[in-house]
Amino acid sequence: MEKFVRVLAVSGVLAVFGAMSAVAAGSHDPAIGTWALNVEKSKFSPGPAPKSQTRTYEQAADGIKLSWTGVAADGSAMTGESTFKYDGKDYPITGSPNYDTLTLKRVNATTVKSAQKKQGKTIAWSTRAVSEHGKVLTLTSRGKDAKGAAYHDVAVYERQ
């Protein structure tokens, strides 16, 4: 009987750790890391494309922190950041003349859809997808810029 209780106790502990591992694995965001824009594989319509951009996604105490730096097509520096959750609520974002908040929702383990807003009005939509092998992040965006001109961009980033 004592052996049975020991086996039962060990099985229970293993089951708890197994469940905790499964939950932790399910909450991992595949976008976490640093990504460099591959300008040649990307399409910016109407353009022009930025000269470079690096995006970094980090786990933060209050969600996911996104920050980016780069060089715009005209040679000027570009930076921005936001901290958000995938809960459909609005979160402030800096660094864009086109929008001041974004709302994100997870579609599946590798895909997130977002809406970008300016003064509460949705002006653009994006889909962020991380490839199955986790080495490519594609950000497809459609909307209107601050001047009202329509754009459709497909930005391809590679994990650094």
Side-chain angles (χ1 to χ4, degrees):
M1 181 69 167
E2 187 175 316
K3 184 177 178 182
F4 174 74
V5 170
R6 246 185 309 174
V7 169
L8 190 60
V10 169
S11 297
V13 169
L14 290 175
V16 168
F17 281 121
M20 287 171 46
S21 296
V23 168
S27 65
H28 173 71
D29 187 337
I32 299 294
T34 300
W35 303 86
L37 178 66
N38 183 325
V39 177
E40 291 78 32
K41 291 183 179 179
S42 301
K43 293 182 177 91
F44 294 88
S45 177
K51 292 183 179 184
S52 67
Q53 189 181 93
T54 301
R55 296 170 77 89
T56 302
Y57 294 87
E58 304 173 74
Q59 188 68 52
D62 50 349
I64 303 295
K65 180 180 178 185
L66 163 64
S67 57
W68 71 88
T69 60
V71 178
D74 66 2
S76 63
M78 46 196 254
T79 63
E81 68 177 41
S82 181
T83 301
F84 53 80
K85 295 179 183 175
Y86 303 116
D87 59 4
K89 296 180 181 176
D90 288 350
Y91 291 94
I93 186 167
T94 63
S96 174
N98 300 330
Y99 45 87
D100 50 26
T101 61
L102 70 161
T103 301
L104 300 100
K105 284 192 176 186
R106 186 173 292 287
V107 174
N108 59 39
T110 59
T111 306
V112 171
K113 290 202 177 253
S114 67
Q116 293 81 46
K117 299 177 181 180
K118 182 76 169 186
Q119 298 175 341
K121 180 181 177 189
T122 301
I123 51 91
W125 299 265
S126 296
T127 301
R128 185 193 78 201
V130 177
S131 64
E132 192 173 303
H133 54 68
K135 296 181 181 177
V136 176
L137 182 149
T138 304
L139 184 63
T140 304
S141 304
R142 287 182 183 267
K144 292 188 178 182
D145 66 17
K147 297 175 184 173
Y151 66 89
H152 178 208
D153 299 340
V154 179
V156 178
Y157 295 84
E158 296 170 344
R159 188 178 291 279
Q160 301 301 291

